Amino acid sequence: MASEDDATALAFHGSPTFTAGGGDLFPAPSTPALSCLVYLTSHGLSGLPAPAALRAALAAT
């Protein structure tokens, strides 16, 4: 991804993005952008989703 236009075209909301089956496992209501994502966990905000949340999102695909 080289530009904000690329992010918009691909509906990319930041990094790290987790996808499966062509869809974002943690869709964001924000505007697509080249940015860092934060995930809400039971311990507060984190740079990664909680392992249990990731497993649940994968199981739901």
Side-chain angles (χ1 to χ4, degrees), residues 27-58:
S30 61
T31 301
L34 294 178
S35 64
C36 295
L37 284 176
V38 292
Y39 295 88
L40 182 59
T41 71
S42 61
H43 301 289
L45 296 176
S46 175
L48 295 171
L54 185 53
R55 283 191 294 275
L58 285 167

Side-chain angles (χ1 to χ4, degrees), residues 13-35:
H13 290 270
S15 181
T17 293
F18 295 87
T19 61
D24 192 333
L25 295 177
F26 300 95
S30 61
T31 301
L34 294 178
S35 64

